[in-house]
Amino acid sequence: MGRKGKFLEAEINSNFLEEILTVKWYVPETFSDLYKYHICIMQDGDDYFQMGRVATLSDRLHESGEIENTVFAGIHYKDKYDRQDKYHPKGPKQTAYINFLVKEVVPLLDEKLPTYHIGGSRTLMGDSLGGTVSLMAALQYPNTFGQVIMQSPFVDDTVLAAVRESHSLGNLSIYHTIGNQESEVKTTAGEVKDFLSPNRELRTLLDNHRSSYVYHELDGAHTWKYWQKDMKRALITMFN
């Protein structure tokens, strides 16, 4: 079965990251400039399109009317080290990457697509470290990004402190999953870390803030197999 929508892309010569990055987005079959669209910006973009099967899901969920008009945009990383530098809370490029999202990616998509130009219609999505940087960006720029989907995010003291100190949680809608087998996860740096306990701690913090917050503990490990299985529920929850 062929794609019903279509892929488009543009390059950004980023002032913040001092490199050229490609933003690739998928518009639904019924796309028209007469409608306005929610935007979902995905870290690990190619992974979400390939392993997450987001384009196929977009076709299906638009057709069935289970999600509102949404364009899914992805930004990919060069390699695991580049990803670590940009997404990790202590990564040397995280601040620059968040600036790139806010000041370069959002204006590009607002120019190319009929968007709402408000934070509530923009979602950041990511898995593992991609989920971490999505949350950190939304905490810093709640007027730009009103929603976060984070699947098995990496959570450390920096992340927990940012949540504790945030005054914007009440305005954010957050979808958060972690697998019940994620107590020993091998990280990019080659360490084995417990993801489950810090995610449960994050859940307690987020629960206390009465924001629109959905949390699921999946029966599974830190892999795309489980994130993909949860994609449909994640998208319907956030874009219905």
Side-chain angles (χ1 to χ4, degrees):
M1 192 175 108
R3 292 255 173 275
K4 299 196 167 155
K6 66 177 175 195
F7 280 106
L8 299 160
E9 61 179 55
E11 285 187 342
I12 293 178
N13 190 349
S14 172
N15 292 322
F16 296 99
L17 290 165
E18 298 180 337
E19 63 173 294
I20 294 171
L21 296 98
T22 301
V23 182
K24 184 195 281 183
W25 61 94
Y26 186 76
V27 298
E29 181 184 19
T30 53
F31 181 82
S32 160
D33 286 334
L34 300 174
Y35 306 131
K36 290 216 185 299
Y37 289 80
H38 293 271
I39 302 289
C40 180
I41 299 171
M42 309 179 294
Q43 320 328 313
D44 299 326
D46 291 355
D47 295 342
Y48 269 99
F49 283 129
Q50 288 158 19
M51 294 183 279
R53 302 185 199 141
V54 163
T56 305
L57 268 172
S58 171
D59 284 347
R60 205 178 299 155
L61 298 176
H62 277 101
E63 204 170 323
S64 62
E66 288 174 276
I67 61 172
E68 293 180 27
N69 286 337
T70 306
V71 170
F72 293 92
I75 302 146
H76 208 57
Y77 49 89
K78 287 194 287 241
D79 55 36
K80 65 182 186 180
Y81 305 106
D82 180 56
R83 184 175 183 270
Q84 179 95 359
D85 286 350
K86 288 171 179 165
Y87 295 178
H88 194 284
K90 296 185 179 79
K93 294 183 181 172
Q94 198 200 55
T95 301
Y97 183 76
I98 290 173
N99 275 320
F100 158 72
L101 288 175
V102 174
K103 296 166 186 168
E104 295 177 325
V105 176
V106 166
L108 170 85
L109 293 171
D110 280 349
E111 180 200 332
K112 302 272 186 192
L113 297 160
T115 61
Y116 288 96
H117 291 258
I118 53 167
S121 69
R122 292 192 201 101
T123 303
L124 290 173
M125 178 158 75
D127 64 278
S128 199
L129 282 174
T132 312
V133 74
S134 295
L135 177 64
M136 296 295 273
L139 290 173
Q140 288 171 48
Y141 293 95
N143 296 330
T144 305
F145 306 112
Q147 301 202 130
V148 175
I149 297 172
M150 48 183 183
Q151 298 181 289
S152 304
F154 168 77
V155 178
D156 65 0
D157 292 342
T158 306
V159 175
L160 294 171
V163 171
R164 282 194 195 97
E165 290 157 20
S166 168
H167 300 296
S168 56
L169 277 176
N171 306 326
L172 292 177
S173 296
I174 297 173
Y175 182 93
H176 176 195
T177 62
I178 185 72
N180 59 13
Q181 296 165 31
E182 295 196 51
S183 50
E184 292 183 9
V185 175
K186 194 164 183 208
T187 67
T188 310
E191 304 163 313
V192 173
K193 288 208 152 124
D194 173 9
F195 271 50
L196 184 53
S197 305
N199 268 273
R200 285 177 172 164
E201 197 176 335
L202 177 60
R203 178 217 178 156
T204 305
L205 283 180
L206 292 172
D207 249 348
N208 291 339
H209 280 277
R210 294 199 317 276
S211 58
S212 163
Y213 177 57
V214 175
Y215 173 85
H216 295 291
E217 258 181 42
L218 309 180
D219 198 11
H222 194 81
T223 67
W224 266 102
K225 177 182 171 184
Y226 301 101
W227 299 328
Q228 202 287 320
K229 275 186 189 166
D230 194 59
M231 276 314 310
K232 181 180 176 185
R233 176 170 66 182
L235 300 186
I236 291 173
T237 301
M238 298 306 271
F239 302 111
N240 188 318

